[in-house]
Amino acid sequence: MQLSRLGLLAGLAAGALIAATPAQAQVTLKVWSIDGNDRPGIADTFSKEFDDANEDIVVEYRYIPFDELVNETLRAFATGNAPDIVSFDNPDFALFSSRGAMLDITDRVEASDIINVDAYFEGPLNSVKWEGRLYGLPKYTDTIGIFYNKDLFAKAGLSKPPATWAEVVEYAEKLTDPASAVYGITFSARAGEEGTFQFLPIIQMSGGNADKVNTEGAAEVLELWKQLIDNGWASRDVLSLGQWDSTGAFNSGNAAMAISGPWEIDRMVEDAQFDWGVALLPTITEGGERSSALGGFNWGIMANTRHPDEAFRLLEYYVSQEDRLFPEFGNLPARGDIELPVTGIEKKDAALKVFQEQLQYAQPRGPHPEWQKISKAIYDAEQQALTGQMSAMDALNQAQATIDTIFNK
Amino acid sequence: MSRLFNSLRDGIGFDIVLVGAALVFLLALAGAPLVYNVLMSFQQVDMFTLGALVRPFVGFENYVAVVQMPEFWLVTRNTLIFVFGSMAGQFILGFSLALFFAQRFPGAATIRGLFLVSWVMPGLVVGAIWSWMLAGDFGALNVILRGLGIIQSNIFWKSDPAFSIWAVIIANIWLGLAFNMLLLSVGLAAIPRDLYEAAELDGANAFQRFWTITLPMMRPTIGAVLSLGLIGTLQQFDLFPAITEGGPANTSNVAGFWSWQLSFQLYDFAKGATVSVMMFLLVLFASIIYVRSTRHEVRG
Amino acid sequence: MTRIYTPWFLLAAALILAAIYLFPLYWMYVTSLKSSSEIFANPPTFWPRDPDPGIYAQVWHRRTMPTFLWNSLVIASGVTAVTIVLGTGCAYVLARYRNVWIDIGLFVVLMLQVLPASVMVTPLFVGFNQVGLLGYPRTAVVLAAAAKAMPFFVVLVRATFMSVPRELEEAALVDGNSRVGAFFTIVLPLARNGILVCAILTFMTAFGEYIYSKSIIQSPSLQPASVGLSGFLGPNSTDWSSIMAYSAIYVTPILAIFVLLQRRIVSGLTSGALK
């Protein structure tokens, strides 16, 4: 561990020396991200604009499928072909930033006129920090809330969305209608990051976090969720459905409530044949602590880049265009100071307002370099509890034991 | 010199070149990665040393750690169930279909060809379709089974810990059926018809003909199909992320998927390599059995 | 095995069996015409409520499918060619003798394909990078995929060669042929059908090659169709209808070609390999 850090520092020092020599006529920057494959996206569009606007810099953009980002970057790192700027899913960022693979840009950001660190939501910003230093910037963000079918609510005599998880169970019972194949609620407790994505906020609301998962509150809600499944108020398949597929059932009228995020809005506006709305994620106790999942990606400059200054200029350009994120690409910027333009679609605008409010409470997953192992411990425990293999508290305790070994290394 | 040339054309040299060319190719492109993986299972790996071959040596630490992981025995059990379940289903159904299609009726050949659809469809698509078909609420399988009266209420194939591995097995049987059927068909077609006719004249019934003629003559093919089937089943991957992703709670996690998970989702490359080496040992054992059994094959 | 039931009865049974087996294929076509949420509707719709065939044209254009399909063809052909050239001879020798060396050879061939492609990618990537093959990504993929396909091909073709009687080859040698001659003029033609079937299987598997292509081929203009397909998977949303449409465009012609090809081979098979 020590040796490799030293080696990396030595490498950086050497690199700095080389970079101090006068710049070449043309600098090539490599940018990797998940955008631009299906339709123009943030990274590819902005990169091209920057390329066109700057004579001395050429930006080579490469699209990478999102579940290959980390592995491709690792492989490229191993063969010395790492990109200059890369965009990671926010929980994966710490894997790189904690090992010194991302450039420390704290000072550059402070000196920058374009970037204002305080404008960012706390959650996304935390995911790019490591030990107090800044290693990247949020690219866009999202979170989750609870969608509900207003028509079905009205039929069941309910007027407001549920505010606590106990209320969720109560409402789900009233809303479930097996004859019409309607479940009270649908969500995702899938074996994978999506399961943890939806469960971690519960842990956080109960006072825990990635390092402490076996809280009373979390076990309580897990038992409530088990009730939902056992009584048939939520489908047993929440254990294998992802958020997108699960909410598809909501759109088809087969569930009265769904937990998912802003990415659902466009499809819902098109496919849902009923009146719907979004509410903040329910809390454990009335008026209790709020939390929600933090999705979205982060930008970072890789530490062994040969052109840190130019790469930083490109990063500043991305930040300067953040007000275009929503109108052009449908992504939520991670900043509280950008107003989202009104789209004119009533349900969509109402939903976005709720999500923007929710973002104030969204907390990151980690950050921790071994987040993925923590995540597996969490979703394994979640599934063990929901399938009745163990009691919720026992399952969480087992997860905690695994997590302790990770944190105590 | 001319002796060498002669042996190449006409003697042992010819054989050596034919086998040697293939082996050299394989050793370079498949042997080297194998060595890399075996080495990696004895080392401590991180992102900075991914490309190197020499890394800190940790002996059997990785193996011990893997065996001590809570999911280890569950994964082992699942792998065995998966392999035997899949292979039994694929082989029995494949052989039955091969026998059926070996009979003469119009369109037999064309219809048989349609079964190869499972090989042409991309893994991602097959996984997605079976994932939908196996869904508890909106899955076609449940609808059909209920329609036929075989089950009363929906089975949650993917989410019920008792059924999750069977969900993947069902999809895998569908996937591997075509391979088994086609190759067993080729083997069947090579058996001369007159052998059957002679046996029939001698008074042997269908079962006896099958047992005394078909099976022995098919031995090389059956051996090949089974051994390749074992390897293919262990490597089966696409179905898992699509259908259950190893869940719920690792009840459908098998060695192949787990190895991938460890390396490419949890970024613990050394452990992933360790699990893949363990899988390798399992196949080693099966391959030895297959190769020994080829001694009993009847040629021509 | 030629008990004569009414052939038409058998045909009907065959059609039913095929229909059962092809149900997932049907589901693929039907899903491509459904709306994104209808896929998850309960009860499931066996025919789309509002079929949208326009999606096929959309997908064709959105995805530069002609380029992708061409790349798939190139890679699959390359893999098949390399596999046949190197694998046939190897299978012939492994079938011809029975001794410890052959056992070892067969064993080594078999064991070298045990590791799944996903764990082979990283060392191959690093290795290709060292020798500069990453500059020729499709070639690199052909080599990697051929190494994956070859053991399978060798084991199967060996079984085919086993069905060629030794006596015929011996007779040819006695007649004055060299080993090379006997191989090419007698043995190979007799094993032709088995080899062809295995070649076709290899081709079809290589056409769907995904894992190596995904990592080794970085430029979209050189990627095969399987990688293009994965482009529909977003971080949160998945365009299933487009994926199914894409897959339909990709699968239908291959299936059609194969079904036609297969008839020719099978007619060769059923007329006996031992003319």
Side-chain angles (χ1 to χ4, degrees), chain A residues 321-333 338-343 348:
Chain A
Q321 303 298 307
E322 271 175 352
D323 53 338
R324 291 166 56 193
L325 238 49
F326 183 69
E328 283 177 47
F329 306 103
N331 289 124
L332 297 178
I338 296 184
E339 275 266 344
L340 295 181
V342 173
T343 60
K348 182 167 174 174

Side-chain angles (χ1 to χ4, degrees), chain B residues 9-10 15 19 37 106 109-110 112 115 118-120 137-138 174 179 228 235 264 287 295 297 299-300, chain C residues 11 21 41-42 44 93 97-98 103 111 113-114 118-119 148 152 162 164 179-180 201 204 262-263 266:
Chain B
R9 253 191 34 171
D10 210 3
D15 297 325
V19 176
N37 267 292
T110 318
R112 175 168 54 193
F115 279 72
S118 63
W119 263 27
V120 179
D137 301 308
F138 56 84
W174 182 86
F179 166 71
L228 290 175
Q235 289 182 348
F264 300 106
S287 298
R295 291 178 181 245
E297 282 170 0
R299 167 106 194 234
Chain C
L11 175 62
Y21 192 75
N42 179 15
V93 173
Y97 305 102
R98 196 72 50 74
D103 282 353
M111 291 311 290
Q113 70 153 343
V114 171
S118 53
V119 299
K148 196 119 237 334
F152 164 89
M162 295 287 289
V164 173
R179 288 285 312 281
V180 176
L201 290 178
M204 286 166 66
Q262 202 240 180
R263 279 171 64 198
V266 172

Side-chain angles (χ1 to χ4, degrees), chain A residues 110-129:
Chain A
E110 260 195 60
S112 164
D113 298 319
I114 302 177
I115 306 179
N116 174 13
V117 176
D118 302 317
Y120 288 103
F121 288 118
E122 206 186 308
L125 201 60
N126 278 339
S127 67
V128 288
K129 284 190 182 165

Side-chain angles (χ1 to χ4, degrees), chain C residues 73-260:
Chain C
L73 196 66
V74 165
I75 292 176
S77 311
V79 171
T80 312
V82 172
T83 308
I84 294 181
V85 166
L86 290 176
T88 313
C90 185
Y92 161 72
V93 173
L94 290 178
R96 193 166 196 270
Y97 305 102
R98 196 72 50 74
N99 59 45
V100 159
W101 291 109
I102 296 297
D103 282 353
I104 294 180
L106 187 59
F107 179 73
V108 168
V109 163
L110 208 53
M111 291 311 290
L112 283 178
Q113 70 153 343
V114 171
L115 287 187
S118 53
V119 299
M120 310 253 280
V121 173
T122 307
L124 281 174
F125 186 85
V126 172
F128 283 142
N129 186 54
Q130 301 263 3
V131 297
L133 258 181
L134 286 183
Y136 303 94
R138 285 182 300 188
T139 314
V141 170
V142 164
L143 292 177
K148 196 119 237 334
M150 196 173 304
F152 164 89
F153 183 85
V154 165
V155 171
L156 290 174
V157 171
R158 175 184 169 276
T160 306
F161 277 118
M162 295 287 289
S163 70
V164 173
R166 184 77 178 248
E167 301 78 51
L168 287 175
E169 194 184 349
E170 311 259 292
L173 289 174
V174 163
D175 278 351
N177 277 300
S178 66
R179 288 285 312 281
V180 176
F183 176 65
F184 281 103
T185 55
I186 306 290
V187 184
L188 210 49
L190 286 175
R192 187 185 56 212
N193 286 317
I195 295 178
L196 254 171
V197 171
C198 293
I200 291 177
L201 290 178
T202 308
F203 183 86
M204 286 166 66
T205 313
F207 200 84
E209 208 297 307
Y210 174 63
I211 297 196
Y212 291 133
S213 315
K214 176 172 70 165
S215 303
I216 297 178
I217 306 181
Q218 302 190 356
S219 152
S221 59
L222 296 175
Q223 283 171 347
S226 50
V227 179
L229 181 62
S230 70
F232 284 108
L233 299 170
N236 285 311
S237 59
T238 309
D239 194 351
W240 289 117
S241 318
S242 298
I243 291 184
M244 295 298 140
Y246 183 103
S247 173
I249 296 177
Y250 167 108
V251 163
T252 318
I254 305 179
L255 194 60
I257 293 175
F258 178 76
V259 170
L260 292 172

